[in-house]
Amino acid sequence: MKLKAACPLILPRAAATLWTLTFLSPLSCFASDFLKVNGMEIRDNYGAGKEVHLYGTNLGGWRGHEPWMSPLAGASNEWDARNILTNRFGKEIVWDLYNTYWDSWITENDFKNIAEAGLNCIRLPIFAFNHMDDEGHWRLDDTGAIDLSRIEWTVNKALEYGLYTILDLHGAPGSQNGAHHSGRQNGTLLYSSPLYQSQLVEFWETLAARFKDNAAVAGYDLLNEPSETFPGRMGSEVVNLYDRLYHAIRRIDPDHIIIMEAIWWWDTLPNPQEKNWENVVYSLHYYQWQNNNDFTVMKNSVDGWIQDAQKWGSTYNVPHFIGEFTLFENAESWNYGLQQFTETGSHWTTWSYKVVGRNNWGMYNAAGHNSNVADIAADDLNTIKQKWSQWNTLEYFSPNSTVINAMQKATSSRDLKRPNRALPSKLEKPEGQKIIGMVN
């Protein structure tokens, strides 16, 4: 699918919201599929129905390159990559290059692969600079609408295959941590820039307005691994920003789950009751970097993570979502870890769906040696475009049986809840609630 966009323009917020709400209408789904928090559980039917567990993977390396896992050479992060390409070829040529890559890295077949692996959820990393520039100018498509079309396409395609989508803001304006996976390493951090903070709030307001009644969206993951001192633990500035985002979203969308990440310990987040936060999920990312090929080491780590989740989840009365993790190279670790996460009530999405290397970071690995890693600083325009067009999973990747088999074993006995496409007449909230402004 080829998606084009006009040059970025400045839009008044009211006009921007109207355009966003009326463009690229989402597929409808049953209101009974809508997920909300009920104590330590996630339930369907706006929190009044059956308990639901989310098991899935991340679509990492797609909307934002990470050079270790996606085909980028010549830059260590997206911000530098965009600047290099723009200086060489111009902004609109760069946009065309990225559309070529995006069309290749994830296609419809990938959603089928994920569903067949026994999963019912994807976490979609979103990068703000794919939708607005550094000054906050929205990127528009050629109809004049804010270009959220890739996000909309992903949510709709996931729905077709019975997958919920978690919207994960992986790269905030400026950067929420200064790490390469935020998209920008050498810039002013979000926390010291009122401009970036206001852009962040507006971005989430725009997403909330667009998806507020969409039951195929499981929740909003506010910021990926945010920290003022990354990789150090996050502090009060992150919590204050979470609070600001929470209230901004709730003014528009009272219903969707809001996910807040604790980096790296539960006690970096407050008890949600102290903040009057409702319908929230707390998330942690688990990476054991030492001796991780040793099953005993990994087993002890998994057991410790679960023990902490049960203790703190009970104290805070919130569900536990493992937004990212890998269990590294030992198949026994994968079988044990996924089984334990699943049996003890955690929700999880692995990092990640596919990677260029051959390791257990991905459900799919590059098949053999794929030389189509573009060197954006040295390759000519046609070479970059040709290389970035040759990364679709079916042709260039092979399934990782260690990870996929462990997934299927862990979820095979579960009655997975999947969102279903529905006719507009089926869209009704439970008695006493009302759907507002659903676009069909």
Side-chain angles (χ1 to χ4, degrees):
M1 181 178 71
K2 187 73 171 202
L3 300 172
K4 296 182 179 179
C7 295
L9 300 175
I10 299 176
L11 285 177
R13 182 175 299 186
T17 301
L18 176 62
W19 270 327
T20 303
L21 283 169
T22 56
F23 179 68
L24 251 180
S25 302
L27 299 177
S28 299
C29 40
F30 289 102
S32 60
D33 292 330
F34 204 106
L35 305 181
K36 293 187 75 170
V37 169
N38 188 325
M40 293 178 64
E41 298 174 348
I42 295 175
R43 292 182 174 270
D44 63 13
N45 198 27
Y46 287 85
K50 296 180 179 179
E51 185 177 3
V52 174
H53 285 94
L54 299 173
Y55 309 125
T57 192
N58 282 266
L59 298 187
W62 182 31
R63 300 305 312 286
H65 279 294
E66 293 187 42
W68 72 271
M69 64 179 291
S70 56
L72 173 68
S76 63
N77 62 88
E78 277 281 18
W79 184 263
D80 291 345
R82 303 286 177 103
N83 285 334
I84 290 169
L85 289 168
T86 297
N87 289 337
R88 294 187 67 195
F89 307 121
K91 280 187 176 181
E92 290 311 305
I93 297 297
V94 172
W95 191 248
D96 182 62
L97 284 174
Y98 270 86
N99 273 283
T100 298
Y101 171 68
W102 294 331
D103 287 344
S104 176
W105 187 258
I106 294 293
T107 66
E108 179 169 349
N109 186 67
D110 296 304
F111 300 92
K112 178 175 179 286
N113 289 342
I114 293 168
E116 289 179 348
L119 307 178
N120 66 346
C121 178
I122 59 169
R123 181 172 177 258
L124 173 63
I126 296 169
F127 288 76
F129 49 71
N130 289 330
H131 306 281
M132 62 166 60
D133 67 15
D134 195 42
E135 297 178 348
H137 303 157
W138 288 103
R139 176 171 283 277
L140 307 180
D141 66 21
D142 48 14
T143 73
I146 295 172
D147 190 4
L148 300 178
S149 51
R150 289 277 178 181
I151 301 174
E152 188 66 53
W153 178 83
T154 305
V155 172
N156 287 343
K157 195 57 63 177
L159 173 59
E160 287 184 32
Y161 288 88
L163 301 168
Y164 283 101
T165 299
I166 292 170
L167 302 183
D168 153 45
L169 189 53
H170 217 76
S175 170
Q176 72 274 16
N177 55 31
H180 77 276
H181 48 75
S182 75
R184 188 174 185 181
Q185 288 173 281
N186 302 308
T188 301
L189 282 180
L190 174 67
Y191 313 104
S192 58
S193 170
L195 172 63
Y196 289 153
Q197 290 178 35
S198 64
Q199 290 171 9
L200 174 67
V201 171
E202 183 174 3
F203 190 77
W204 267 117
E205 288 174 336
T206 302
L207 290 173
R210 185 67 190 93
F211 293 101
K212 65 179 180 178
D213 291 313
N214 194 322
V217 173
Y220 305 142
D221 194 337
L222 297 182
L223 286 169
N224 181 72
E225 299 184 1
S227 175
E228 308 93 325
T229 60
F230 191 90
R233 62 189 285 146
M234 67 186 223
S236 60
E237 290 180 284
V238 175
V239 175
N240 292 339
L241 194 53
Y242 277 161
D243 191 58
R244 183 178 174 186
L245 291 171
Y246 174 88
H247 290 290
I249 291 170
R250 283 288 177 252
R251 285 190 287 270
I252 298 168
D253 182 348
D255 291 319
H256 267 105
I257 292 169
I258 290 178
I259 300 169
M260 300 178 183
E261 297 186 22
I263 305 301
W264 305 97
W265 298 273
W266 280 86
D267 64 358
T268 59
L269 284 173
N271 189 318
Q273 296 177 29
E274 296 173 2
K275 293 287 189 178
N276 294 315
W277 293 342
E278 297 179 349
N279 194 28
V280 296
V281 167
Y282 280 3
S283 174
L284 287 94
H285 296 177
Y286 296 138
Y287 295 113
Q288 165 54 261
W289 295 109
Q290 304 299 320
N291 301 317
N292 46 47
N293 289 330
D294 185 326
F295 171 68
T296 301
V297 171
M298 292 304 295
K299 178 182 183 299
N300 290 338
S301 294
V302 167
D303 292 345
W305 296 331
I306 292 172
Q307 183 178 7
D308 280 350
Q310 291 175 331
K311 170 190 170 183
W312 286 96
S314 178
T315 300
Y316 285 172
N317 197 30
V318 293
H320 173 226
F321 171 49
I322 310 171
E324 290 182 23
F325 68 99
T326 182
L327 296 168
F328 292 93
E329 300 309 304
N330 192 312
E332 190 177 6
S333 297
W334 276 97
N335 289 325
Y336 181 80
L338 290 186
Q339 197 71 37
Q340 291 300 305
F341 293 157
T342 303
E343 289 182 355
T344 56
S346 297
H347 309 265
W348 49 263
T349 49
T350 66
W351 189 270
S352 184
Y353 171 63
K354 58 191 283 190
V355 297
V356 170
R358 297 194 62 78
N359 50 55
N360 284 348
W361 283 90
M363 292 172 59
Y364 283 79
N365 295 325
H369 178 68
N370 189 332
S371 61
N372 293 314
V373 175
D375 186 334
I376 62 168
D379 289 340
D380 62 41
L381 176 63
N382 289 334
T383 299
I384 296 172
K385 189 167 186 176
Q386 187 269 340
K387 287 181 175 180
W388 274 1
S389 71
Q390 299 187 52
W391 286 98
N392 73 77
T393 309
L394 190 62
E395 292 184 78
Y396 298 105
F397 286 75
S398 58
N400 182 342
S401 59
T402 296
V403 175
I404 294 174
N405 288 347
M407 289 174 165
Q408 291 172 334
K409 288 178 184 177
T411 64
S412 61
S413 62
R414 302 280 163 171
D415 182 16
L416 291 186
K417 170 70 178 181
R418 297 185 180 277
N420 296 290
R421 294 176 62 178
L423 297 175
S425 60
K426 298 290 186 181
L427 284 168
E428 297 178 357
K429 277 192 177 184
E431 187 175 352
Q433 295 179 297
K434 181 180 178 183
I435 284 186
I436 302 172
M438 170 61 83
V439 180
N440 296 316

